Amino acid sequence: MKKIKYNKRWTGFILLGVVSYLYFMLVNFPAGVAYQYFITPFDRSKQLNLQGLSGTLWQGQAAQARIANLNFGKLNWDLNLLSLFTGKLAVDLLTSGNDSRIEGTAKAGFDQQLYVDDLQGKIPAAMLMPFFYGFPIAIDGHITADIKQAEVKMGK
């Protein structure tokens, strides 16, 4: 029986190939698959609804984005990989609907807080009518916001 020689030089090339392949798979991970397997199972109250997903987990878009009863229209996102080194997941968001536009950066950390930076938006006031259910009021016009920085804590 012939003995196979172990060549240490090839080990580095094989390891580099495996790491490159895993990196390629991670960078090109489809947004639809990520939503189906990682977001939908954890959204028990079914508050988030994204339709028409395209692009990758890191940079993509949804043709229709709904949070609870609010329709935000088209959603574009771009995940910031460098923010992972600070222990937060940051994403640049842009939504554009029929008469609305919201743009800003959202960060989520392990401390169960949501941080918002440089959020600018304009939405029709009528979008907020579901929050006033039962009140004998009607609101009209637009609501414009320019938020430099905000923190949202779970339960508050």
Side-chain angles (χ1 to χ4, degrees):
M1 179 177 250
K2 188 174 181 183
K3 199 173 193 182
I4 299 174
K5 272 187 156 180
Y6 177 70
N7 191 343
K8 290 182 183 181
R9 190 175 81 182
W10 287 103
T11 304
F13 288 120
I14 292 171
L15 184 62
L16 179 64
V18 169
V19 169
S20 298
Y21 178 74
L22 291 174
Y23 174 77
F24 174 78
M25 294 298 287
L26 185 63
V27 168
N28 293 308
F29 200 77
V33 174
Y35 178 70
Q36 180 181 359
Y37 290 107
F38 300 118
I39 304 297
T40 304
F42 296 107
D43 186 19
R44 291 186 178 98
S45 59
K46 305 296 181 207
Q47 295 291 314
L48 179 65
N49 185 1
L50 301 178
Q51 297 174 349
L53 290 168
S54 63
T56 67
L57 170 65
W58 308 105
Q59 187 175 29
Q61 65 181 6
Q64 190 68 253
R66 290 181 147 289
I67 299 175
N69 292 329
L70 303 177
N71 184 0
F72 289 99
K74 186 177 178 181
L75 168 68
N76 293 309
W77 70 85
D78 188 8
L79 284 173
N80 299 330
L81 293 178
L82 292 178
S83 68
L84 293 175
F85 293 111
T86 64
K88 293 182 177 70
L89 178 63
V91 62
D92 295 325
L93 299 169
L94 171 65
T95 67
S96 54
N98 291 338
D99 205 14
S100 66
R101 179 180 172 86
I102 299 173
E103 183 175 7
T105 301
K107 297 177 187 173
F110 291 112
D111 54 0
Q112 296 185 343
Q113 291 187 24
L114 177 68
Y115 304 92
V116 177
D117 294 326
D118 298 322
L119 182 74
Q120 298 174 347
K122 174 184 153 188
I123 61 171
M127 273 180 76
L128 301 178
M129 282 303 294
F131 295 114
F132 297 106
Y133 181 75
F135 290 110
I137 63 170
I139 54 177
D140 195 19
H142 286 86
I143 297 174
T144 304
D146 187 5
I147 301 171
K148 295 298 178 199
Q149 191 173 31
E151 290 182 28
V152 180
K153 296 181 181 181
M154 292 296 271
K156 296 183 179 182

